[in-house]
Amino acid sequence: MDRFDEINAFTAVADARSFTHAARRLGVSSAQVSKLVARLENRLGARLLNRTTRDVSLTDTGRAYLERARNLVEEFEALEGSVRDQSGPRGLLRISAPVSFGANQLTPALLDFAAAYPEVSIDVSVTDRMVNLVEEGFDVAVRIGDLPDSSVIARKLAPVRLVTCASPAYLQAAGAPASPQDLARHEAILDNNMRDPTIWTYGGGVDRQEVRVHGRLKFGGADACVAAARRGLGITVTPAFAAADDLRAGRLTALLCAYEPQLIHVHAVYPHARHLAAKVRAFVDFLADRFAGEPEWHQGWGEIHAHELTST
């Protein structure tokens, strides 16, 4: 078991490239992790890690050793997990979720999941930052849009429309854009979570249009952009779930519906593992069932086009 602890500590440090992050993931002190790795290197008579004050990297020997060591750790975890899972989902489930979706849609689902699985403890981190699941010790993350990280497994949960919208008061004063190109003369409310907040994309395939927009307001999240649009400060592009209540109530009006971009999707993502813990499997299945079918955030609000606004 001492040898397994050494190997486990080494693989955690190699994956996280940090003794501190590895210690947090393993639930022990950084000093203990350092001691275990040093003991492993002494026993093998080889240096596995290069250490500097700013980084930890693998030596050539460490890189070769890591592949076999990771297989041993995964096999051991799968063995223990298969026994634990016989009694159903249990233990601590660490989840990362984006701010707007977490507040508007995920929290009710989390509460229902907690009620359905009393043996599972839930620790939720709500952030728009793209967390590293392995380095930061998360079991699963909810993500929206593109998934550039090929080191995770993703399950598609639900589609999301990107809605261009503004308040009736703004449209009455500034007019409504009849086409995406008209946005160049409007005040845009920009979401810094977009890859390029100043480029709004419409349509798809051969009909794809990219429009450069300008605005004095930039926010790091959909909720603030929607609030600014509701105040009549400009036009914004936002995921439908962030604006659905305001669209239903008429506080915001959907624009350029004929030009909407292709759907993006909500995903549940989790690290590659030979054995998927019962708590993770149960949570991902729960979310897939919860968000199956036409999403609630696409229902109950009409699409009002520019000519309808200007004709009133």
Side-chain angles (χ1 to χ4, degrees):
M1 184 57 71
D2 287 343
R3 289 191 175 187
F4 176 78
D5 289 340
E6 295 168 4
I7 295 171
N8 195 33
F10 164 69
T11 59
V13 173
D15 287 339
R17 298 188 63 170
S18 164
F19 281 86
T20 302
H21 288 314
R24 187 178 302 126
R25 174 183 163 191
L26 296 173
V28 298
S29 69
S30 297
Q32 178 67 9
V33 172
S34 181
K35 179 180 178 181
L36 288 168
V37 173
R39 198 163 66 195
L40 174 63
E41 289 178 322
N42 289 336
R43 185 164 53 79
L44 295 175
R47 178 172 291 279
L48 303 176
L49 296 170
N50 293 315
R51 305 158 175 82
T52 70
T53 56
R54 303 181 64 178
D55 192 25
V56 177
S57 61
L58 289 162
T59 65
D60 289 341
T61 302
R63 193 171 294 108
Y65 187 78
L66 176 63
E67 184 176 350
R68 299 291 297 273
R70 185 179 283 122
N71 288 338
L72 287 173
V73 171
E74 289 182 356
E75 288 285 358
F76 186 83
E77 289 179 346
L79 175 62
E80 287 202 327
S82 65
V83 176
R84 288 195 303 266
D85 291 352
Q86 290 179 8
S87 57
R90 62 178 59 246
L92 176 63
L93 181 66
R94 295 196 67 222
I95 303 165
S96 174
V99 175
S100 294
F101 189 79
N104 289 297
Q105 302 296 331
L106 189 61
T107 297
L110 287 170
L111 297 178
D112 289 343
F113 178 80
Y117 294 92
E119 297 299 317
V120 178
S121 300
I122 300 174
D123 183 350
V124 184
S125 175
V126 180
T127 176
D128 287 327
R129 180 176 61 85
M130 186 74 73
V131 303
N132 185 304
L133 298 182
V134 174
E135 288 185 7
E136 300 180 50
F138 286 101
D139 297 295
V140 62
V142 175
R143 290 180 179 166
I144 300 171
D146 296 335
L147 298 174
D149 187 355
S150 61
S151 67
V152 298
I153 301 171
R155 181 167 176 181
K156 194 177 292 185
L157 299 177
V160 179
R161 293 168 61 181
L162 288 175
V163 183
T164 305
C165 56
S167 72
Y170 174 86
L171 297 172
Q172 197 76 325
S179 72
Q181 300 306 321
D182 291 342
L183 292 168
R185 64 178 177 83
H186 281 274
E187 182 72 19
I189 301 166
L190 308 175
D191 186 344
N192 284 327
N193 284 333
M194 296 174 66
R195 183 169 298 175
D196 184 344
T198 65
I199 300 293
W200 291 0
T201 303
Y202 292 86
V206 296
D207 297 323
R208 177 185 173 94
Q209 301 182 53
E210 290 189 346
V211 182
R212 184 168 292 278
V213 297
H214 306 276
R216 63 190 180 92
L217 299 180
K218 291 184 179 181
F219 297 100
D223 288 342
C225 292
V226 169
R230 195 167 55 237
R231 287 283 300 272
L233 297 175
I235 298 175
T236 195
V237 170
T238 191
F241 58 77
D245 289 344
D246 290 307
L247 290 164
R248 292 190 194 101
R251 294 185 293 266
L252 292 176
T253 298
L255 305 167
L256 303 174
C257 299
Y259 300 93
E260 278 187 4
Q262 294 178 338
L263 294 172
I264 58 175
H265 288 86
V266 181
H267 299 85
V269 301
Y270 47 92
H272 282 280
R274 191 166 299 177
H275 172 80
L276 183 62
K279 60 186 179 182
V280 177
R281 183 184 298 107
F283 181 66
V284 173
D285 288 345
F286 184 90
L287 292 185
D289 291 341
R290 178 67 168 245
F291 296 119
E294 181 67 11
E296 177 271 338
W297 52 82
H298 288 171
Q299 300 171 13
W301 48 275
E303 298 176 352
I304 303 177
H305 292 274
H307 70 274
E308 295 172 328
L309 291 167
T310 55
S311 65
T312 59

